[in-house]
Amino acid sequence: MSVQESTFHGFANPVDPSPAELRAWAYHPDSVPLASMPPDWDLLVSGDRLVMTLFDLAMDPNCPARRFALHCLYIYAADGIRTNFRAHPKRRFRKLVDQAERNGDELMRTWAHNSRVLLSQPGLFVYRDWCEGGLVRENRRL
């Protein structure tokens, strides 16, 4: 049985979910509403440990929590770029951007484009756009 077919019963530790828990939740997000998660949960899960899972979820147009995963990718990109890649490995970031450009749909290509623009012009960082979901909601290119 795939994760998508099973029911999600909650996180063992919502502050530090496993990749499998995050994936299971993403296909059943109503089982644990975002409003019930710890404050700034999006910031907590947007790190290296879960970025590959978030990327896979954001690449899946059938994932109910796809926009949340994409939002987390924007946080991840901004965090890496703004810390000059002390927060996240530049190589991993570039691999994700390249893969999104090659294999992603319009949403993912927009994330890759915006990430490349921010990389070349870090002064374009606006917290509302990158960390509060503005670029996801508006789906606009910088």
Side-chain angles (χ1 to χ4, degrees):
M1 181 185 326
S2 76
V3 170
Q4 291 85 344
E5 296 169 4
S6 65
T7 302
F8 180 65
H9 299 290
F11 297 98
N13 180 0
V15 174
D16 187 25
S18 71
E21 287 176 325
L22 184 61
R23 183 177 303 282
W25 170 80
Y27 287 96
H28 301 281
D30 294 337
S31 62
V32 181
L34 275 175
S36 71
M37 299 309 291
D40 297 323
W41 191 61
D42 53 350
L43 301 175
L44 292 171
V45 300
S46 296
D48 289 321
R49 185 162 111 59
L50 295 172
V51 73
M52 297 308 295
T53 302
L54 290 164
F55 185 81
D56 290 345
L57 297 170
M59 288 286 282
D60 181 358
N62 297 313
C63 177
R66 180 184 193 201
R67 291 173 61 84
F68 174 80
L70 181 60
H71 164 62
C72 291
L73 289 179
Y74 273 101
I75 293 170
Y76 182 84
D79 194 30
I81 293 166
R82 290 178 42 80
T83 63
N84 200 27
F85 295 98
R86 288 185 302 277
H88 308 297
K90 189 174 192 175
R91 184 175 182 191
R92 177 177 293 153
F93 166 75
R94 286 190 183 271
K95 273 181 70 174
L96 294 174
V97 169
D98 290 345
Q99 188 174 347
E101 288 172 337
R102 276 193 322 276
N103 304 322
D105 62 6
E106 187 58 31
L107 282 176
M108 291 303 291
R109 287 191 306 271
T110 298
W111 170 78
H113 168 83
N114 290 343
S115 295
R116 286 197 188 276
V117 169
L118 188 64
L119 183 60
S120 68
Q121 300 174 57
L124 292 179
F125 174 79
V126 175
Y127 189 86
R128 184 189 84 68
D129 287 341
W130 289 86
C131 299
E132 292 181 346
L135 289 171
V136 175
R137 282 189 300 278
E138 297 163 13
N139 189 32
R140 67 179 166 85
R141 288 180 170 244
L142 296 177

